[in-house]
Amino acid sequence: MAKVNWESAKYDGEKGFWATFPNLCKGCGLCIEKCPVKCIGWSEELGVYGTPRVEADMEKCILCGICQMVCPDCAIRVEKNK
């Protein structure tokens, strides 16, 4: 069984960062469905309800922020470098 990480999981890239908050992610998958570049997938770690949470592939991520906007639980934070 996978372990729940209650702290944020941050994925850094040259363009900025993408973070999830496992204590908020219920694994609904809306972010995966709406991602225009399909860089979000299921993690091996679990979210708050014991369901898989999500993670991003920073090689593909364009930091558009759509995933952050559609997340009903505010479990994703996207920030572009200036």
Side-chain angles (χ1 to χ4, degrees):
M1 177 181 259
K3 183 179 169 189
V4 177
N5 175 7
W6 294 111
E7 297 177 19
S8 69
K10 188 174 173 183
Y11 303 91
D12 286 306
E14 289 181 20
K15 301 170 276 186
F17 76 86
W18 191 96
T20 59
F21 300 92
N23 59 334
L24 298 174
C25 181
K26 65 183 175 199
C28 69
L30 282 174
C31 55
I32 294 173
E33 185 179 317
K34 298 295 183 181
C35 180
V37 294
K38 304 299 179 205
C39 71
I40 304 171
W42 297 111
S43 173
E44 293 292 321
E45 293 187 27
L46 301 178
V48 69
Y49 296 114
T51 56
R53 64 174 181 81
V54 295
E55 62 187 4
D57 178 350
M58 291 307 290
E59 297 286 320
K60 295 179 185 176
C61 184
I62 58 173
L63 297 164
C64 64
I66 291 173
C67 54
Q68 179 175 290
M69 288 187 286
V70 301
C71 180
D73 302 303
C74 300
I76 299 174
R77 179 153 182 236
V78 178
E79 193 168 308
K80 259 186 181 173
N81 289 338
K82 295 180 183 186

